[in-house]
Amino acid sequence: MVAHPGEPIAGLAALIGAEEAEVETALCTLSALALTQGDGEGFRALSPQVAMGMILARRKAELAAAQQKLEESRVAATRLIAECSDLIPAVDDPEFERLHDAREIQQRLAALASETVQEIMTFAPGGAHSAEDLAASREPNAALLGRGVRVRTVYVESGLKHQPTLDHIGWLHAQGAEVRTAAGLPIRMIVFDRRLAVLPVRMSDARAGAIVTRGEGFVAAGVALFEAVWATASPLAAGPGADASGLAAQEAEVLRLLANGFTDEAVGKRLGVSSRTARRITADLMERLGAASRFAAGVRAVQQGWLPAE
């Protein structure tokens, strides 16, 4: 059509050696995509530059809509888990089991892992992990993978700067585990076979103990949260990158958290970095945006497309 503008259906069919019915179907699709114009005498294609621009704009809008749905799922699941976690210590319910200290948590996790038959999903926030904890986790992880259990783990990107943690992530990947990284994680969590989840008693203090829950709604929220984060996390081989605005994933996460009212201390905990590092990233973003305050930075971030308008 670009080479022969105005050619009727019969002429187009003859030019490409196809049946007229096939050409009609193709033209219907192109018309629905608004890539052609036609009347009773013939059809004309839009210029390739205009057509490609329309295709890319449409695809970008679809991706933005999908990203918004993922973010809404993540926010809803995080809110549900946060609100319920503080209530659980006071609830006497057989669906919730309280774990009081690190040793009890470690023993219970080992027992749950030995019973797992299909999949384990893990959020590993907090930045660097101790060499002892990493070493202790290798044997049970190897046993899980050896039984054919799917192991998926999301680490915060800041953990990649800690060599023992980076070595352990590489070991997991080499053993067949699926590993991704995210700029920040909302909670420490492990889900076993989509039937029970282990969560901290307090969102703000993982050392306060943990709970094992079999509550259907609770576990479903955890699974939804994991899948939403997993969908946008970076595969291990890809590493942290920049988005279309030139923002690194960690910087984009800082902007999102600041827009939601997080303090530097809370941002640091979510990203697994110090409050000082969080302040440095914030200051750098404000300087790049030419903003004298966080509120002004938020406004300019929206204006430049670094944050969604809503």
Side-chain angles (χ1 to χ4, degrees):
M1 292 169 66
V2 173
H4 302 275
E7 194 72 40
I9 291 178
L12 291 172
L15 285 168
I16 65 174
E19 298 292 333
E20 289 189 24
E22 293 179 279
V23 174
E24 288 182 358
T25 300
L27 286 170
C28 285
T29 302
L30 292 170
S31 179
L33 293 170
L35 299 180
T36 62
Q37 297 175 337
D39 51 35
E41 298 180 357
F43 297 86
R44 289 178 175 79
L46 297 179
S47 72
Q49 293 86 349
V50 172
M52 184 57 69
M54 292 177 63
I55 291 172
L56 292 176
R58 187 178 297 112
R59 182 58 178 154
K60 184 176 181 180
E62 292 171 353
L63 289 172
Q67 179 65 32
Q68 181 64 24
K69 289 185 67 176
L70 284 173
E71 184 62 20
E72 289 171 357
S73 296
R74 182 167 72 166
V75 170
T78 303
R79 185 179 296 117
L80 175 61
I81 291 172
E83 291 174 352
C84 293
S85 290
D86 289 336
L87 299 175
I88 286 172
V91 174
D92 184 13
D93 191 319
E95 290 190 336
F96 298 103
E97 173 190 352
R98 176 74 182 266
L99 305 176
H100 297 86
D101 55 43
R103 182 177 180 182
E104 187 177 2
I105 293 172
Q106 188 174 23
Q107 292 175 342
R108 191 73 178 98
L109 289 177
L112 292 172
S114 67
E115 299 168 1
T116 302
V117 296
Q118 293 181 328
E119 181 181 26
I120 287 183
M121 297 178 282
T122 303
F123 281 160
H129 298 259
S130 71
E132 294 76 14
D133 289 344
L134 295 172
S137 70
R138 289 198 175 187
E139 185 175 345
N141 274 311
L144 283 166
L145 293 164
R147 299 201 313 270
V149 174
R150 186 185 187 190
V151 176
R152 289 193 288 166
T153 304
V154 183
Y155 284 85
V156 289
E157 289 174 2
S158 59
L160 301 180
K161 298 177 182 178
H162 181 246
Q163 193 58 48
T165 300
L166 183 59
D167 291 342
H168 180 70
I169 293 173
W171 178 85
L172 281 173
H173 188 66
Q175 298 299 311
E178 299 172 56
V179 180
R180 294 187 180 184
T181 60
L185 290 172
I187 191 173
R188 185 177 299 277
M189 178 180 71
I190 306 176
V191 180
F192 296 87
D193 279 341
R194 298 176 180 251
R195 64 182 180 83
L196 56 84
V198 179
L199 302 159
V201 169
R202 297 196 186 97
M203 296 279 285
S204 59
D205 184 9
R207 295 171 298 179
I211 54 166
V212 181
T213 175
R214 295 171 177 78
E216 184 177 348
F218 219 119
V219 175
V223 171
L225 177 59
F226 182 89
E227 294 292 4
V229 173
W230 181 263
T232 56
S234 301
L236 181 62
D243 63 13
S245 303
L247 286 174
Q250 188 181 63
E251 293 173 329
E253 180 71 0
V254 169
L255 270 180
R256 189 184 71 80
L257 294 174
L258 291 176
N260 281 280
F262 280 62
T263 64
D264 289 330
E265 183 179 2
V267 170
K269 286 183 178 179
R270 183 67 66 90
L271 270 61
V273 300
S274 67
S275 299
R276 186 176 183 179
T277 298
R279 282 195 295 272
R280 178 183 57 76
I281 296 173
T282 300
D284 179 65
L285 288 168
M286 291 174 61
E287 182 179 355
R288 287 161 61 184
L289 287 164
S293 68
R294 295 188 179 202
F295 177 79
V299 172
R300 295 192 180 185
V302 170
Q303 291 173 340
Q304 296 189 25
W306 292 13
L307 285 176
E310 63 274 18

